[in-house]
Amino acid sequence: MSILKQFYPDNYIDSTYQIDFEQMQKQGIRGVIFDIDNTLVPHGAPADERSRALFLELHRLGIQTMLLSNNKEPRVKSFADQVHTSYIYKAGKPAIGNYEKAMKLMGTNRKTTLFVGDQLFTDVWGANRAGITTYLVKPIHPKEEIQIVLKRRLEWIVLYFYKKSLMKKKRGKAG
């Protein structure tokens, strides 16, 4: 199943809001690229108190932020304005060009950048191809567009093998 490894995240957690960004900053992270929908807020929702507080904290830590979304500009700009960050819309994820553009705009590189998103086949695969450390988060809300629902079914297969590979690694370290 090695072909699936290109879709595996470096980290898989329940929520964006569980990431210890202060620790990441101490480890040299200088920029974070985020997906928006179902990563920071439910699909189509405006920025909420939690997302605004997160961006405030990141900026306080001196961490650059960027939104990278396949969505259209009105959606992305509106959210970006609410959290006071830069953005790239119609990003064409998983193509790597806009991941690289985001790093250039933030003044970061592959080693000093994190990517946080909720989809394997766009967010994680693109960031992996760009050489960026990835965080896959569980979708915030189950209501999604039909094309995403269909992709989720395929993601379950990849995540099954991902989790199985993690268990294998743990057994290898214990033995």
Side-chain angles (χ1 to χ4, degrees), residues 40 56-57 61 70 79 82 84 96 103 127 167:
L40 293 165
L56 251 152
E57 175 65 7
L61 290 168
N70 285 347
F79 193 91
Q82 294 169 55
H84 308 287
I96 66 171
M103 286 186 285
M167 295 304 287

Side-chain angles (χ1 to χ4, degrees), residues 15-19 21 39-41 48 50-52 54 140:
S15 167
T16 300
Y17 302 99
Q18 292 177 328
I19 300 171
F21 288 106
T39 298
L40 293 165
V41 293
D48 56 14
R50 191 166 65 158
S51 58
R52 286 191 299 273
L54 172 65
I140 290 175

